[in-house]
Amino acid sequence: MNKFELRKINSLLRKSLNQVEASDKIVLKIKSLSDFLNAKNILIFYPLKFEINLLELLKVEGKNFYLPKVKEDYLEICPYEGELIKGAFNIMEPLTKPVLPSVIDLAFIPALAADKDLNRLGYGKGYYDRLFSNPLFSAKKIAVINKELVVDKVPTDNFDIKVDAIITD
Ligand code: ADP
Ligand code: MG
């Protein structure tokens, strides 16, 4: 199966899943992760329709949270300070100025598919591959994904960058 076909199949499958329940489970798991407990500067993402929603994490005290902002063909990392506006692709994003990617120590990443070898499939724009390939980015990368969307083998190209772990519901 190629990336295009897998995106189509998993997008369709994802629409049938209970994302409120799955998100609650994943948020609970994250809150007990030592990586999370030890991290100070954490990148999450504003969920698109049908994506896992981690926004509940923003209520955790003692952490700095960041959200990505789509800028042309790359992602900026902006501190979350409570206020959000609609940005590119209608995704909510902070109004704050971006920080250097080196600030982030832990990053939670959305995925449309993932496999046990930690390969990740996105929507086909390669935003996260580009962020991960930035030498200033050294955070631990954890993909959050429904268990139903984990496959045997995600098709990969040489520019694809693996995540460091996967969390499912
Ligand atoms: P996704 O990771 O969102 O599933 P792909 O892996 O298919 O999407 O990548 C989409 C596009 O992003 C590819 O055409 C590729 O050329 C581009 N891309 C990926 N990584 C980089 C990078 N480090 N620099 C520039 N372009 C990149
Ligand atoms: Mg990719």
Side-chain angles (χ1 to χ4, degrees), residues 3 7 120-127 129-130 133 159-160:
K3 286 182 173 182
R7 283 190 192 103
R120 166 195 173 269
L121 186 72
Y123 293 104
K125 294 211 183 320
Y127 282 114
D129 289 322
R130 237 165 274 144
S133 73
F159 49 75
D160 282 309

Side-chain angles (χ1 to χ4, degrees), residues 1-136:
M1 194 180 318
N2 64 33
K3 286 182 173 182
F4 181 81
E5 290 164 342
L6 183 54
R7 283 190 192 103
K8 224 163 80 177
I9 289 174
N10 271 17
S11 302
L12 200 64
L13 175 57
R14 195 170 64 169
K15 286 186 186 167
S16 69
L17 304 177
N18 183 337
Q19 291 309 46
V20 174
E21 218 169 84
S23 299
D24 283 352
K25 284 188 188 168
I26 289 176
V27 164
L28 267 181
K29 281 192 184 179
I30 289 175
K31 283 180 174 173
S32 67
L33 274 187
S34 60
D35 282 324
F36 180 76
L37 296 169
N38 295 331
K40 183 77 183 164
N41 294 296
I42 303 171
L43 176 70
I44 65 166
F45 56 91
Y46 196 93
L48 299 173
K49 203 173 177 188
F50 305 117
E51 262 181 0
I52 296 294
N53 183 340
L54 300 182
L55 297 180
E56 187 65 23
L57 292 175
L58 296 173
K59 296 180 188 162
V60 175
E61 299 204 15
K63 312 275 185 202
N64 303 320
F65 287 99
Y66 301 79
L67 290 169
K69 195 186 282 192
V70 176
K71 191 92 181 180
E72 292 139 38
D73 64 346
Y74 63 97
L75 297 177
E76 285 184 340
I77 296 173
C78 301
Y80 170 74
E81 290 174 2
E83 233 183 323
L84 297 172
I85 54 157
K86 212 173 258 190
F89 306 111
N90 280 335
I91 303 170
M92 300 301 283
E93 56 184 39
L95 300 147
T96 53
K97 293 228 164 25
V99 297
L100 289 176
S102 52
V103 166
I104 302 299
D105 29 64
L106 179 62
F108 292 100
I109 311 298
L112 200 41
D115 66 26
K116 298 265 174 345
D117 295 325
L118 306 176
N119 297 302
R120 166 195 173 269
L121 186 72
Y123 293 104
K125 294 211 183 320
Y127 282 114
Y128 283 100
D129 289 322
R130 237 165 274 144
L131 175 63
F132 298 165
S133 73
N134 183 332
L136 292 178

